[in-house]
Amino acid sequence: MMSPPGPMAPGPLTPPLGSPPPMAAVPPVTGMSSPPMGMSGPFPGPPPMGGGAFQPPPAQMQGQVFPQQPGPYAGPMSGPQPGFPGGAAQMAGPPQKKLDPDSIPSTTQVIEDDQAKRGGQLYSTNMRGQVPPLVTTSFTAQDQGNARPCFMRCTTYTFPCSAELAKQSQVPLATIIKPLANVPSNEAPLYTVSHGESGPIRCNRCKAYMCPYMTFMEGGRRYQCAFCNCINDVPVSYFQHLDHMGRRMDVYERPELSLGSYEFSATLDYCKNNKPPNPPAYIFMIDVSFANIKSGLVTLVCQELKTLLDNLPREEGAESSVVKVGFVTYNKILHFYNVKSALAQPQMLLVSDVSEMFVPLLDGFLVNFNESRAVIHNLLDQIPDMFAETNESETVFAPVVQAGLEALKAAECSGKLFLFHSSMPTAEAPGKLKNRDDKKLVNTDKEKTLFQPTRGVYEQLVKECVTQGVCVDLFLFPSQYLDIATMGHIPTHTGGSIYKYSNFQVGADGEIFLSDLRKDVQKPIGFDAIMRVRTSTGFRATEFHGAVYMSNTTDVEMAAIDCDKAVTVEFKHDDTLSEETGALMQCALLYTTVGGQRRLRVHNLSLNCSTQLTDIYKSAETDALINFFAKSAYRAILSQPLKTVRDILVNQTAHMLACYRKNCASPSAASQLILPDAMKVFPVYMNSLMKTLPLVGSTELSTDDRNHHRLTLLSMGVEDTQVLLYPRLIPVHCMTVESEGVPSALRCSEERLTDGGVFLLENGRSLFVWVGQSCSPELLQSLFNTPSLAHLPTDMSSLPELDNAHSKKLRSIISSICEQRPNSMKLQVVRQKDRSEVAFRQLLVEDKGLCGGGASYMDFLCYVHREIRTLLT
Amino acid sequence: MDQQQQQQQQQQQQASMTYQEFIQQNEDRDGVRFSWNLWPSSRLEATRLVVPVSCLFTPLKERPDLPPLQYEPVLCSRANCRAVLNPLCQVDFRAKIWACNFCFQRNPFPPSYAGISEVNQPAELMPQFSTIEYIVQRGAPSPLIFLYVVDTCLEEEDLQALRESLQMSLSLLPPNALVGLITFGRMVQVHELSCEGIAKSYVFRGTKELTPKQIQEMLGLMKPAASGQQGRPLAPPDMAATCRFLQPVHKVDMNLTDLLGELQRDPWPVPQGKRPLRSTGVALSIAVGLLEGTFPNTGARVMLFTGGPPTQGPGMVVGDELKTPIRSWHDIQKDNARHLKKATKYYEALSNRAAENGHSIDIYACALDQTGLLEMKCCSNLTGGHIVMGDSFNTSLFKQTFQRVFTKDYNSEFRMAFGGTLEVKTSRELKVSGAIGPCVSLNAKGPSVSETEMGVGGTTQWKVCSLTPATTMGIYFEVVNQHNAPIPQGGRGAVQFITQYQHSTMQRRIRVTTVARNWADAQSQIQHIEASFDQEASAVLMARLGVFRAETEEGPDVLRWLDRQLIRLCQKFGQYNKDDPNSFRLSQSLSLYPQFMFHLRRSPFLQVFNNSPDESSYYRHHFMRQDLTQSLIMIQPILYSYSFYGPPEPVLLDSSSILPDRILLMDTFFQLVIYHGETIAQWRKAGYQDMAEYENFKQLLQAPLDDAQEILQSRFPMPRYIDTEHGGSQARFLLSKVNPSQTHNNLYAWGQESGAPILTDDVSLQVFMDHLKKLAVSSSA
């Protein structure tokens, strides 16, 4: 079990507000001079021969100036900086034997502490700048004027008052917004407000929507906008007297005056061409080339669709879904289907002119599933048979998307395309791709080309899709490289998702795929969305990361946005902020619901401002910070060599911590590493980020996997990046059948594994059950129904359903985990010392990286510490 | 019997017959009508005769009495001759040698003829078999192909009628024929017919011009370059690929009936003020491309059913904006027809491709407005296809005409033949100037190709992709014999027509017609030559030349040319004193000719006034292919009169024939007009026909109806049937045709009981003749 946190040096700062925990943890990562920890040699030790990990930077590195670019990478590079000469791989120095791993800050401990302190409580959003519980903590939020953390989370809840201060601290100012996030069932859903025919009331100047921050004056006849300070007249129909406090009498009757999040029903002014939108349509586009037929995928999809289509998303309270459906199959050419309810048999329309795609039919292509049920069932039964004998192995891709787009254009609606695709599109058609997976580029300055999409048709398609509100979801079933960098460009810019099932087999991967498909189809989603983030004066939103499309610098366009997609917004000062008024932000999302209604969702959040660096560090949030760093690093690799990106990450980590040490911590021995309490575990996440597939330069990694990882992360929210970068390791053998609880998670390190144990490891993308060599036969029997380890099948994709408490418990743990995650995870059973253990071990993020390297947490921390010391002197 | 004797006997026979009888006999036997039945023996003399030596030839004239031979024709062995053995050849029965009557090459008979003798002659040597047909057993018989190309931008009622007609036609097709279906509107759909369960069709954009290769690729008709990647053996490419789109009727008629039954109107919305988007151009190019790729050089019919003009893509005739009307003659003359040239060029290219492969294109255009026949006419004109024009598919005119495409002859065989080639061989003194008819040149050069081109010239062979027993070609010759090289007395010039075609029973057949005419010295025998003049054939042949010119030249120029020819002919053969019009006389053999020319000048073939460009194209199309009798009706409609005073009688096509107590029946080929005179109309209105005591009136009313019915039953295309009366608006059809001998201008006729005045400024036949006489006798002309 986890030992209690190691002895901590007393916090160097007096706690400023009452008695929260010490502001700084001083872990015993100290040098020789710090006897309590007893490190064997001076830290950093002499450079290990050959490894060169901690070698002082060579002279020529001193003056290196990195290209200026927006984002966090500009700051620290402006002056001569010590480089981080070795790649991540080289950081793997000899283990610091005597350093107790338990003594360095533990993520699991932090999570547990927060859960213990704030878990299960009611969190009211009535205070400006209050820091919410961690994402891992379960709590109930109550909207009292600020958006709940599930919608918006900030890297820090206290903004520095000036740009100088911000620059000094290097703490990025960003908010991760998940505008359509699912609201937990025990919290209140959003209210919908209608302001009548004239539409929502907005500030005349900055167009901010009516919100709790507006100040009413002159007896309620006017109000001052909190964002631009403009004084507006209150429309007569909206007039209300003020009470003795100067608040409107109806404050609590109107969600837009008392809540942080609410919706307006939009008027025709907010609709395309001033026409109410049509309900969206879903088009299922199945690649019926040889590979997909052979793998049994086509049969599987067709079978599933028959029942799945009963669960199309519908408007809250509506009896049935109004989403229309259409079907296309394709290989080198496209087959459209007429499934009009009046037909006895579906009709197939083949389009072989893929060079200029068009929709061959209007009437009967997009239909209501309920009305055309018989014809659709007939079609879905026939599709697998029709192509059973196919030997066509070539496919097209861009024309398929184009076809879907044209169909929705013709039907004048937004919607979603579901593509089930198997191979690189090599057939003669627009968007034809060539294999450009050149492993020789890895670790060179040209490595970025592996991440860059092929331009041309794909960019044009993205633009058209966004304009029409067409979201593209890719389900990929590749057996080899298919250039996800390019193909994934479309889903990631249209609010879609990419799912990848390499070497798909119905038996092993079928269930995972189907559960992904079900989730994806049923997901709450909004279409044809446009988001705008408004801020109070003094700062503004500058960068947007996510599955979005930007045609100008302020409007975030999204063909669609679902409940799992988040946008990370970075802010910059353009003036000083006042401590008194704080920093306000309002995120407004205009979108079309699945029922075809035009809505405006508004989230408001107010933050504190301070001239004290201490305040900034105190209200920082590590999980949000790491989300921001991950996204900006993943964006940076498109334009910069990986090494530069990694250097910047390390440097900024060191810089932020050095700034804290210099300005906030009380003086202490230089050898002491002092971390701000809120960022105690920041280094472990940073280190983990640098060990993720895209940032590790290794020829052993699949380029597609790296791109898939990269593109998926770009739209992740804070919850997803947290668990991705610090997986949960649960000792299954410790679970107590009697209690409800799940055993406490362990630190992700090999050292925590025991030969006799069974461990569950999960990061939101993969799910492992690791079985130790000397695991007890009873446990094996009760969990896997095998007498011994040797009999344990390793190709198990799900646990056997056994009627015993242990099995039930483990399965319920797994299913509850899967429920939390936006996508399904394939269960992999790994035996200790098996070859397949590599994938499992890669997720033990506190250890040295296996594939292509990466430092252990300990080494990284030491290195950062040394960097801090260099910065401080 | 000696050959010489035979010929003498024939000549004697000729001498004992009148030319009338001779002409009739020749037409009945050989389907040939020559302008001159005695030929002027020199080039100079021939040109002075004004009307060229030419003939109307009906290659597949129905000959119930002619059993086809089950063997191949014997050909002259000279490489550039290859004429077929015929009754005019000199035969040496002892040496078993025959001399070609065209090149005089002496040829041995093939071994199979070893048994011939003077008493045992093969049919092709017998004089009565100057026309004979061979069945050739070469190659595998290829099935007939019918490819329906159907416009779906129709009103529901029209589409329903068309659906029914098409479904009905399936039962009329030869059961082993291959049938295919292409539908079009905004898109073009090629339907697969072989599929079970799901109905499949390939869809093409209606706006994109595709090369034949692209079309074949997109339909999956290309033979894959490499064998299947997964190593599965491929079915024989031709069958596998074509089967999907062209299937034997007997196999798919159920399928196709269903498919046609489910045929929907083009689903794309047509905004207010717009025409539906109709991709006729692309649809036709796909039809042509499909056949080209699958069945080149096989008889096939593309049948286009359209209810409006092509409005988009290549071959578009008018834009979709309703406010821009489709081009009129006025626009064309003002050079205001924006799409005309481009569209015409497009369809011409298509037609030439189709013709090259022996495929013909029919156009069934039914709409109240124009449908673009002017631009598309070449599709049918060059490939021998039909054009049928109607107001709606829901009319008996269309329905019956369409049925009649599939009529059968006395042998219960279809009256259609495919992939024909017509070759003309001539004796040395004669060369071929050209042909006018539903054909394209095969560019067969040779010694008998004349340098003077008339019609489609520069060749001795033409392709006629589709033939009916009525298809008639005009063939023009040039006499090349020099004046100083006289032909011996009694010499004869010969012409051989060799028509190879695919019979509807899928057999390949060759029909050979060999005819000869005597040469005559124009100076000494001018009366004989004059007597041999076939004024009916000549009128039609000259009319064809005129109409052919009218396609490319300005209308007035053509009329002037025709007038000049007529005047010259009258000068040559008329008897008159110089400058005395009253003395002018024409002999009996020429007496009707000026009248034909008068009516021709007024005909819709040369006058575009009151006709749309589509109508002109339609009329000309039929004029260029019908046989002599029908052509004459077109030039000069027939008028019958019915009265109580006697049996029905043909009367002059003159306003004087329009009398109150008569019923008139006019047949213009395209229209059948029944006109009730003023009194008759009043009686009819009063209902006398329903009274028992006026049974005779009832019979009188019925008589023209019965006669009209007879014509309606047999004619292709079915004429427009008009029942009208004195003062009726439809009476204009009659009034515009009759010779306006009484008009508002010659007032003296008013009030007389001798006919009806016509309100026109057109000249009457009388005025025309007066001018003609004046000009003919003028010494200055």
Side-chain angles (χ1 to χ4, degrees), chain B residues 309-310 313-319 324-349 370-378 550-554 612-614 616-617 620:
Chain B
M316 114 183 208
V317 164
V318 65
T324 343
I326 190 166
R327 78 277 172 286
S328 64
W329 278 120
H330 184 74
D331 294 329
I332 294 169
Q333 277 149 11
K334 286 261 160 16
D335 206 15
N336 250 347
R338 215 153 66 78
H339 307 286
L340 175 68
K341 284 211 180 83
K342 217 175 142 203
T344 308
K345 211 174 142 201
Y346 176 79
Y347 290 112
E348 268 172 7
Q370 298 188 74
T371 55
L373 285 183
L374 172 67
E375 287 81 356
M376 296 194 287
K377 65 181 178 215
C378 50
E551 293 284 9
T552 49
E553 291 173 29
E554 294 283 328
S612 68
D614 273 11
S616 300
S617 305
R620 286 175 186 174

Side-chain angles (χ1 to χ4, degrees), chain A residues 67 86 98 104 136 282 284 366 371 421 426 506 528 555 570 597 599 602 790-791 852:
Chain A
K98 300 247 173 116
I104 55 177
T136 43
Y282 284 10
F284 297 87
L366 294 176
E371 286 167 14
H421 192 86
T426 51
V506 170
D528 200 7
D555 294 331
E570 190 185 3
Q597 294 183 32
R599 292 274 181 81
V602 180
H791 290 90

Side-chain angles (χ1 to χ4, degrees), chain A residues 290 343 345-353 355-363 379 382 386 389 391, chain B residues 187 189 192 196-205 208 210 218-219 228-230 232 262 267-269:
Chain A
F290 182 75
L343 293 174
Q345 279 274 345
Q347 290 172 352
M348 179 185 196
L349 293 104
L350 298 90
V351 173
S352 36
D353 184 2
S355 61
E356 280 177 70
M357 205 56 216
F358 61 95
V359 244
L361 78 169
L362 190 63
D363 199 23
L379 172 69
Q382 289 201 48
M386 266 193 293
E389 300 296 314
N391 53 16
Chain B
M187 312 275 172
Q189 271 174 277
E192 246 185 54
E196 310 264 307
I198 228 163
K200 293 184 192 171
S201 58
Y202 280 71
V203 188
F204 293 81
R205 198 192 266 276
K208 191 174 169 188
L210 296 167
M218 288 176 182
L219 289 175
Q229 278 126 333
Q230 301 304 327
R232 277 163 13 91
E262 283 197 346
W268 299 86

Side-chain angles (χ1 to χ4, degrees), chain A residues 411-675:
Chain A
E412 295 179 333
C413 67
S414 53
K416 193 159 170 178
L417 313 180
F418 296 81
L419 266 76
F420 305 90
H421 192 86
S422 67
S423 60
M424 188 153 74
T426 51
E428 201 50 62
K432 172 184 173 176
L433 294 178
K434 285 199 289 275
N435 189 337
R436 49 188 196 103
D437 183 18
D438 187 355
K439 287 275 161 52
K440 285 205 270 316
L441 298 179
V442 173
N443 278 325
T444 69
D445 283 0
K446 284 190 178 157
E447 185 167 3
K448 58 184 182 228
T449 57
L450 295 178
F451 298 110
Q452 291 165 345
T454 307
R455 313 242 154 222
V457 185
Y458 289 87
E459 276 188 329
Q460 184 59 31
L461 266 180
V462 162
K463 203 173 151 194
E464 287 182 45
C465 282
V466 171
T467 311
Q468 183 61 34
V470 177
C471 164
V472 180
D473 271 351
L474 261 187
F475 293 82
L476 296 170
F477 307 87
S479 53
Q480 52 199 359
Y481 174 78
L482 44 59
D483 197 352
I484 289 188
T486 301
M487 295 176 69
H489 189 68
I490 298 179
T492 40
H493 286 79
T494 58
S497 310
I498 309 166
Y499 302 87
K500 179 164 168 282
Y501 313 90
S502 298
N503 301 312
F504 180 81
Q505 283 172 319
V506 170
D509 312 295
E511 265 314 306
I512 302 301
F513 157 64
L514 289 182
S515 109
D516 275 340
L517 177 60
R518 285 176 203 138
K519 271 190 184 170
D520 197 86
V521 168
Q522 298 171 20
K523 243 179 210 187
I525 187 169
F527 289 95
D528 200 7
I530 186 157
M531 186 176 97
R532 178 81 187 258
V533 178
R534 292 186 175 82
T535 53
S536 53
T537 48
F539 73 112
R540 66 193 158 86
T542 51
E543 288 291 324
F544 299 87
H545 305 267
V548 300
Y549 180 82
M550 306 275 301
S551 58
N552 58 37
T553 52
T554 53
D555 294 331
V556 184
E557 292 177 59
M558 291 168 282
I561 178 164
D562 63 46
C563 59
D564 296 317
K565 299 281 186 297
V567 181
T568 300
V569 186
E570 190 185 3
F571 300 99
K572 283 267 185 316
H573 286 79
D574 49 18
D575 204 346
T576 49
L577 302 171
S578 94
E579 289 190 320
E580 192 189 327
T581 54
L584 308 179
M585 53 184 82
Q586 181 180 69
C587 160
L589 180 83
L590 176 65
Y591 70 102
T592 305
T593 65
V594 286
Q597 294 183 32
R598 203 73 176 145
R599 292 274 181 81
L600 262 159
R601 181 170 282 210
V602 180
H603 294 298
N604 301 291
L605 189 62
S606 59
L607 305 179
N608 282 334
C609 292
S610 173
T611 51
Q612 301 298 312
L613 282 170
T614 320
D615 294 334
I616 300 158
Y617 284 100
K618 197 177 63 185
S619 355
E621 220 221 7
T622 297
D623 297 329
L625 275 171
I626 198 69
N627 177 285
F628 170 80
F629 276 110
K631 288 190 183 181
S632 55
Y634 280 8
R635 179 187 282 190
I637 58 177
L638 284 182
S639 50
Q640 295 180 59
L642 286 190
K643 191 179 148 319
T644 312
V645 175
R646 285 190 302 253
D647 286 352
I648 294 168
L649 286 177
V650 175
N651 283 326
Q652 196 164 2
T653 310
H655 199 107
M656 280 162 67
L657 298 178
C659 174
Y660 175 78
R661 169 81 188 248
K662 190 173 167 190
N663 300 298
C664 308
S666 56
S668 58
S671 59
Q672 255 192 336
L673 174 63
I674 300 178
L675 300 169

